[in-house]
Amino acid sequence: MENRNNVTEFILLGFSKNKKVQILCFLFFLLCYLAIWLGNLIIMASITCSQLINQPMYFFLNYLALSDLLYTSTVTPKLMTDLLTENKVISYKNCMTQLFTTHFFGGVEVFIITGMAYDRYVAICKPLHYAILMNRQRCNSILRASCAGGFLHSLGLFLLTIFLPFCGPNEIDHYFCDVYPLLKLACIDTHKIGFLVIANSGLMGLVIFVVLMASYFMILYNVRAYSAENRHKALSTCSSHITVVILFFAPVIFVYIRPATTLPEDKVFTLFYTIIVPMLNPLIYTLRNTEMKNAIRKVWCTEWFWKGKPMI
């Protein structure tokens, strides 16, 4: 425990030491962060201020947008600040806090996506029981379970890391405090701890990914008997969900399914589920969703804006 106190702060190496590259990265991430806030706030306001909030799918989408905002905010502001400063330092306490909050909100997002997949499975494969199985009480229970699952996932990684001794060096080859880069700096053999991380993050991500894809394949199998219009609507919704699942889980599995090692590619893959996916989610869930687009028009496109023209 005394050795751990030898390191009171860490240095985040980030992406590059080149000033021009850092400025370009800052502008890119600034645009991404603004797009994340704008897109997800529009979705949240459009759902909350319309009748869509009463539908389970949009109930979950509303909280997915909120988790996107909280999740990316644990990483992106610090990343942008470091790109403009020479002193890319984070204290030990803030590092552990970032580790916990990042995995907590990331875990919540994973389980909300799982809840959305279950909702679509019930809606398409068990339509006669949908109103009973997906009532508001059940939706609230799924949301609470998502928060509990995210907390347990994050707590596990936090406890595996908080008791590690750090006696130098203190340079983290990443843009935020994550478990594998921290294991690399520990002063003890972390081989066994690495396998626990794989079980906590890698295998969990892989199992959930397989379950989600299996559920969507079952949905696609069942929609064959639907009418052309209903089949198109179901396929449009499921294709959006499948896109999010692949973009989110593929990088997660790549980073966490292997033993406790870090690769240069990890930073790029991590960007997908910490910044890129939260930025793309609003587009993915609205571009092919007629109900969502209509809600956005009704909430944001007023008659004054359209100069008296009737809204479609």
Side-chain angles (χ1 to χ4, degrees):
M1 297 295 291
E2 292 181 359
N3 287 337
R4 186 186 67 183
N5 295 330
N6 289 342
V7 173
T8 59
E9 60 184 22
F10 295 100
I11 299 173
L12 297 169
L13 297 183
F15 289 97
S16 173
K17 295 182 179 180
N18 187 292
K19 284 293 182 182
K20 292 182 179 179
V21 174
Q22 288 180 357
I23 293 174
L24 290 175
C25 287
F26 171 80
L27 294 175
F28 172 73
F29 292 129
L30 176 62
L31 292 175
C32 289
Y33 195 51
L34 292 175
I36 289 169
W37 272 91
L38 179 62
N40 284 289
L41 285 177
I42 287 175
I43 281 189
M44 292 169 61
S46 301
I47 293 174
T48 305
C49 299
S50 69
Q51 294 299 317
L52 292 183
I53 191 64
N54 297 318
Q55 299 184 36
M57 184 178 77
Y58 298 103
F59 172 84
F60 290 125
L61 180 57
N62 183 47
Y63 283 100
L64 179 66
L66 177 61
S67 67
D68 274 338
L69 288 179
L70 297 174
Y71 179 40
T72 194
S73 293
T74 64
V75 173
T76 312
K78 173 63 176 171
L79 168 61
M80 292 191 298
T81 302
D82 287 344
L83 288 170
L84 296 181
T85 59
E86 292 288 341
N87 193 23
K88 299 174 176 57
V89 172
I90 184 170
S91 68
Y92 175 86
K93 180 180 179 180
N94 288 340
C95 184
M96 294 300 113
T97 301
Q98 187 181 56
L99 172 71
F100 180 85
T101 54
T102 300
H103 283 276
F104 170 67
F105 292 119
V108 171
E109 182 155 341
V110 165
F111 291 114
I112 288 178
I113 291 173
T114 306
M116 295 176 71
Y118 176 71
D119 169 72
R120 290 301 85 201
Y121 170 78
V122 175
I124 295 173
C125 298
K126 300 180 183 293
L128 298 179
H129 301 90
Y130 181 72
I132 299 174
L133 292 176
M134 294 305 297
N135 55 45
R136 183 46 59 92
Q137 184 179 0
R138 177 65 61 84
C139 291
N140 287 331
S141 296
I142 292 174
L143 183 62
R144 287 192 292 267
S146 298
C147 294
F151 177 79
L152 292 175
H153 160 70
S154 182
L155 181 63
L157 293 179
F158 180 77
L159 292 177
L160 289 175
T161 310
I162 193 68
F163 296 110
L164 290 175
F166 296 102
C167 47
N170 67 337
E171 292 184 341
I172 299 177
D173 189 15
H174 216 306
Y175 60 89
F176 73 102
C177 288
D178 202 7
V179 59
Y180 276 168
L182 287 170
L183 290 182
K184 189 176 180 181
L185 299 181
C187 300
I188 60 172
D189 182 11
T190 59
H191 184 72
K192 293 181 179 179
I193 296 177
F195 282 107
L196 294 176
V197 174
I198 293 175
N200 181 290
S201 298
L203 288 180
M204 183 189 78
L206 180 61
V207 169
I208 293 177
F209 175 74
V210 172
V211 170
L212 290 176
M213 295 306 295
S215 70
Y216 284 121
F217 280 125
M218 292 179 65
I219 291 173
L220 295 176
Y221 178 81
N222 279 272
V223 299
R224 296 181 307 160
Y226 281 40
S227 64
E229 182 181 353
N230 289 334
R231 185 165 60 247
H232 175 75
K233 183 178 179 181
L235 290 174
S236 179
T237 301
C238 289
S239 64
S240 301
H241 291 204
I242 291 172
T243 302
V244 171
V245 167
I246 293 175
L247 287 176
F248 189 92
F249 281 92
V252 168
I253 294 170
F254 175 83
V255 172
Y256 293 107
I257 199 64
R258 63 178 189 266
T261 56
T262 57
L263 300 174
E265 295 83 2
D266 287 351
K267 297 177 187 179
V268 176
F269 279 96
T270 305
L271 281 178
F272 274 89
Y273 56 83
T274 56
I275 298 178
I276 303 300
V277 170
M279 180 181 65
L280 294 179
N281 273 349
L283 293 176
I284 292 172
Y285 283 112
T286 56
L287 287 180
R288 301 187 64 182
N289 190 316
T290 303
E291 290 181 322
M292 194 68 235
K293 287 188 286 189
N294 288 338
I296 292 174
R297 288 193 187 101
K298 290 178 181 179
V299 173
W300 298 95
C301 301
T302 63
E303 291 186 8
W304 175 84
F305 180 83
W306 288 102
K307 298 181 180 179
K309 295 181 181 179
M311 290 184 295
I312 297 175

